[in-house]
Structures are given as C-alpha cells and as structure tokens.
Amino acid sequence: MVSLNNSRNLDGLLDITRNEFEKIAELVYDNFGINLTDSKVALVRGRLNKIIKDNGFKSFKAYYEAVVGDPTGRSLLSMIDRLSTNHSFLFREKEHFDYLRICILPELVRKMKCNGEKEIRIWCAGCAGGEEAYSLAFILDEFFGFTIGEWDIGILATDISDSALHDAITGEYPYEKVKHVPPHLMNKYLKKNKENIYKVDNRMKRMILFKRLNLMSDTFPFKKKFHIIFLRNVMIYFDQKTRESLVKKLYRHMEPHSYIFIGHSESLGRVSGDFEYMKPAVYRRI
C-alpha cells in the first residue's frame, strides 16, 4: 500500500488510504466489471491524481464522494476513462488476421452465397484506439477487392473509454502503432503527414461504426447477430464470474458457427462447452 494518510508524498502526488482504494475498486467493479486488485493501488493513485488536483479535491475520499454523488454519471465515466488501459497497435497478434483472411472469410463467403446472403457483421468489443477495427477493415477491403461494394459489411467497434473512442474516430497514429502493418497495406491505407503521424484512409473509416458501450450492461442493443467477434485482451481485467457472464451474453449475440477471438492469455472458462476450439485464442460457436 502506498500510504495510509492523505498527504502529498515526495513525488508530489496525493496519497490514497486502503479504505479509499477499496471504495473506488468496488465502484469500478460494480459498474464496469473491472477487478482492481491490491496490485493496482499505485496505478489508481497515479492515474487519478491529476483529475483530483484539476478539480480541487483535497483527498481521494472527497473525490469518491463527488463521483458517487454526481447524478449525471459523467464523473464516473471520467474516472473509468482515466483508469482504462488502451494499449494496442495495428495488426497486433497478426496470426489472427491471417487466419481470418485465409480460413474464416472464404468459408463465410461460400456459406453466404449458398444461402443468397451478402451481409457480414463484425464486432470489436473493447476496441481501444481503433487499431484492431482498422486492421479488420484493411483485411476485408483486400479480401473482397472490387466486389466489396456488392456486400453489406458492418464493423461495430465499442469501448467504455470516451478518450479511446475519440482517438479511434480520428484515426491518426504514430509510427510505433503502425509499424507492424504489412508494407503493401501501409502504402494503400495509411498516409504519413509532416509530423510523421499516419492517418487512416477515409474510406476505411466509413466501414466502421464507433460507439460507447459498457460490456457489463444487462442487455446489448443489437438487432442482428454477429458472424465474428473480437474480444481480445479485455477479459484479463475481469474475474472469473464476470468473464463467464460476459461470454454467455456474447453467445446469445452470435450467429451459429460464428467465431470469437480472445487474447492468448485469456480463457472462456467453464462456458467453453458452447464453443469449439479452432486454434490458439480462436473459437467457433457450437
């Protein structure tokens, strides 16, 4: 624990007591499902200090009381925005995108043509700054080529963080976030400006709908089911009970024989019986 009194430490940051941390952790868990264990004390202290200082609070207790007392809910959203981790980059875990392109999309297209269908729905749940969603857009555009206009392809990308969604909609990234993009896709879909920032092609932006969504909501506002869901490196922040509840909700919003991608350090838990293992971190709905 960092400290047990509300004073400024040598680093200039306001200290947090155990009781204050536990109250904040409980608030975050109850509203967003994120499990802040004791190992996250320094993270909570560091990330919330600026917002506390900027708003003139003298302690974490005073800040917490203001958050829970805000009837608009905006203070709570501002808190989770500070605490959310949104590290990602384009073509992260490239083997997933290769498997999508080589195996899943050809199979999906064959099946749809047999059924006279031409609508593909993909959901990036926990999209961070949009890197994953744009990677998918690049793959889909390359796969369908000049016939893409004949298909109704929708990519929904959601996140709990307003700042992450702002970055996603902007679609501008430093080299560190785009350096894993294959060169031919880099030249086709990204344009570098004078500040060495790479901007996503506007046509790719139009393929994606970015929306704020809390995965802990009891129900999701989806009228149609998805063929592919990316839920990578999201469940690492949840405990087992929350993970299993979320996967059950996702199952209800997936088409038969649809696919779900998760992070390599994640598991579907006891509900994995509803899914067929395909390859590391890739499952198909039974």
Side-chain angles (χ1 to χ4, degrees), residues 32 73-82 160 162 212:
F32 306 107
R74 285 195 288 269
S75 296
L76 182 59
L77 292 180
S78 179
M79 173 189 280
I80 196 61
D81 205 35
R82 294 282 184 176
I160 193 65
D162 287 328
R212 188 184 173 279

Side-chain angles (χ1 to χ4, degrees), residues 16-42:
I16 186 170
T17 67
R18 173 168 291 278
N19 182 256
E20 289 167 340
F21 171 77
E22 289 175 350
K23 283 184 175 295
I24 290 173
E26 182 180 11
L27 183 66
V28 170
Y29 181 82
D30 289 344
N31 285 276
F32 306 107
I34 297 175
N35 187 27
L36 294 172
T37 61
D38 284 350
S39 65
K40 302 297 184 182
V41 173

Side-chain angles (χ1 to χ4, degrees), residues 153-208:
I153 299 175
I155 302 175
L156 172 67
T158 66
D159 203 275
I160 193 65
S161 169
D162 287 328
S163 63
L165 289 171
H166 175 270
D167 293 342
I169 292 170
T170 302
E172 297 181 355
Y173 304 100
Y175 177 72
E176 285 302 309
K177 284 184 174 287
V178 304
K179 65 181 181 180
H180 297 287
V181 177
H184 68 289
L185 300 183
M186 173 94 76
N187 295 332
K188 186 173 182 179
Y189 299 116
L190 293 162
K191 184 176 181 180
K192 184 173 70 171
N193 63 20
K194 293 180 181 178
E195 289 74 34
N196 290 321
I197 298 297
Y198 291 77
K199 186 171 183 178
V200 175
D201 179 79
N202 286 332
R203 189 167 61 87
M204 296 298 99
K205 290 185 178 183
R206 291 192 290 269
M207 290 180 65
I208 306 167

Side-chain angles (χ1 to χ4, degrees), residues 220-238:
F220 297 142
F222 305 141
K223 294 180 179 179
K224 297 182 178 181
K225 297 183 178 182
F226 296 95
H227 301 97
I228 300 164
I229 293 179
F230 274 68
L231 185 75
R232 304 189 306 170
N233 306 303
V234 174
M235 293 189 292
I236 55 175
Y237 303 106
F238 303 150

Side-chain angles (χ1 to χ4, degrees), residues 22-212:
E22 289 175 350
K23 283 184 175 295
I24 290 173
E26 182 180 11
L27 183 66
V28 170
Y29 181 82
D30 289 344
N31 285 276
F32 306 107
I34 297 175
N35 187 27
L36 294 172
T37 61
D38 284 350
S39 65
K40 302 297 184 182
V41 173
L43 180 146
V44 170
R45 175 177 178 257
R47 293 193 178 183
L48 292 184
N49 248 272
K50 186 177 188 303
I51 195 171
I52 290 174
K53 179 181 178 181
D54 289 348
N55 287 276
F57 296 109
K58 301 301 182 183
S59 67
F60 275 86
K61 180 176 183 291
Y63 170 64
Y64 168 83
E65 291 174 348
V67 170
V68 297
D70 180 2
T72 69
R74 285 195 288 269
S75 296
L76 182 59
L77 292 180
S78 179
M79 173 189 280
I80 196 61
D81 205 35
R82 294 282 184 176
L83 294 176
S84 298
T85 300
N86 296 302
H87 171 70
S88 189
F89 51 88
L90 277 82
F91 283 85
R92 183 180 186 180
E93 297 175 6
K94 181 177 176 293
E95 62 273 15
H96 279 172
F97 297 102
D98 291 338
Y99 185 70
L100 174 68
R101 174 178 54 85
I102 297 170
C103 299
I104 296 178
L105 287 178
E107 173 196 317
L108 185 59
V109 167
R110 284 194 298 269
K111 186 184 302 181
M112 287 194 160
K113 285 182 176 179
C114 290
N115 296 331
E117 301 172 354
K118 284 206 167 184
E119 183 179 8
I120 298 177
R121 295 176 297 278
I122 302 175
W123 178 19
C124 294
C127 68
E131 297 89 346
E132 180 178 84
Y134 287 125
S135 300
L136 286 169
F138 297 176
I139 290 294
L140 289 164
D141 190 68
E142 278 290 292
F143 179 82
F144 286 98
F146 67 89
T147 69
I148 195 167
E150 302 172 8
W151 291 80
D152 182 4
I153 299 175
I155 302 175
L156 172 67
T158 66
D159 203 275
I160 193 65
S161 169
D162 287 328
S163 63
L165 289 171
H166 175 270
D167 293 342
I169 292 170
T170 302
E172 297 181 355
Y173 304 100
Y175 177 72
E176 285 302 309
K177 284 184 174 287
V178 304
K179 65 181 181 180
H180 297 287
V181 177
H184 68 289
L185 300 183
M186 173 94 76
N187 295 332
K188 186 173 182 179
Y189 299 116
L190 293 162
K191 184 176 181 180
K192 184 173 70 171
N193 63 20
K194 293 180 181 178
E195 289 74 34
N196 290 321
I197 298 297
Y198 291 77
K199 186 171 183 178
V200 175
D201 179 79
N202 286 332
R203 189 167 61 87
M204 296 298 99
K205 290 185 178 183
R206 291 192 290 269
M207 290 180 65
I208 306 167
L209 175 64
F210 290 104
K211 285 286 185 178
R212 188 184 173 279

